[in-house]
Amino acid sequence: WAMEHIKSKVLRGATPWKAGVGKLSLIQPSSADEFVEFLKAATSSASNPQHKDLYFHLLRCFTDADATMSGVIDADGFDQLIDIAAIAPRKYGFAPSAEAMFKTDAERKNSRSALFKCIDKDGSGTISFDEFLKWAMEHIKGKLTGGVRAVYQPMAIKEDSSLVAK
């Protein structure tokens, strides 16, 4: 599988990594408009390349938040996952910073814990990548349906492009 995967990437044309979007991230728009077009394409069909790129981007975000490397994350890991996954929309002003959204760390954690419980349908106290992916795709589609606009201050991304460093 790995060889076929690499071959397909090479045949499709490798894109040089741009600083600030994650070493393994395939989401590399150059503008807010391009980011929205990418997301529209990514959520319109599971068979197109943009969907696959978004899938692998979200998988990278999830694995970066999976500190125990167990394949599942708890509410604390989910709090970190949201910060990691929000880097891309925050870069273009589509989401506020956590500091702008919440007055305290406790408020942020409580809000995200409540969201985590909604995603954790079986009440196990952990979520898998599949559970996160389902929620994330629904969340993104909802934002696009609502007419997403870049209304927040774009976030500067650190020169170190590793998502782990964020």
Side-chain angles (χ1 to χ4, degrees), residues 64-166:
D64 279 359
D66 181 9
T68 62
M69 294 184 274
S70 61
V72 295
I73 58 172
D74 60 12
D76 289 334
F78 181 72
D79 182 40
Q80 294 173 352
L81 173 57
I82 294 300
D83 284 336
I84 294 167
I87 290 171
R90 286 179 178 154
K91 178 179 181 183
Y92 296 105
F94 291 111
S97 67
E99 295 79 18
M101 281 182 76
F102 305 106
K103 293 177 183 165
T104 65
D105 286 344
E107 182 185 354
R108 184 196 76 236
K109 288 185 179 206
N110 287 338
S111 175
R112 290 182 180 173
S113 179
L115 178 56
F116 175 83
K117 288 177 184 174
C118 292
I119 298 169
D120 181 21
K121 303 267 187 227
D122 63 3
S124 66
T126 61
I127 61 170
S128 66
F129 173 67
D130 288 339
E131 289 172 298
F132 167 68
L133 178 65
K134 182 178 184 220
W135 170 81
M137 294 302 271
E138 289 171 3
H139 177 74
I140 293 166
K141 285 179 186 179
K143 294 290 185 181
L144 293 170
T145 301
V148 66
R149 294 181 320 238
V151 296
Y152 301 99
Q153 178 67 33
M155 184 176 92
I157 306 297
K158 295 177 186 173
E159 191 61 31
D160 174 7
S161 62
S162 170
L163 290 175
V164 175
K166 305 297 182 252

Side-chain angles (χ1 to χ4, degrees), residues 18-98:
K18 295 178 185 175
V21 293
K23 288 181 181 176
L24 297 181
S25 177
L26 299 175
I27 300 176
Q28 300 183 30
S30 58
S31 69
D33 290 338
E34 194 176 302
F35 183 66
V36 170
E37 290 308 311
F38 168 81
L39 292 176
K40 285 179 181 177
T43 58
S44 67
S45 170
S47 64
N48 68 32
Q50 294 89 345
H51 179 85
K52 292 174 185 154
D53 290 348
L54 179 58
Y55 173 94
F56 285 113
H57 172 76
L58 293 171
L59 178 61
R60 170 65 195 268
C61 293
F62 187 90
T63 57
D64 279 359
D66 181 9
T68 62
M69 294 184 274
S70 61
V72 295
I73 58 172
D74 60 12
D76 289 334
F78 181 72
D79 182 40
Q80 294 173 352
L81 173 57
I82 294 300
D83 284 336
I84 294 167
I87 290 171
R90 286 179 178 154
K91 178 179 181 183
Y92 296 105
F94 291 111
S97 67

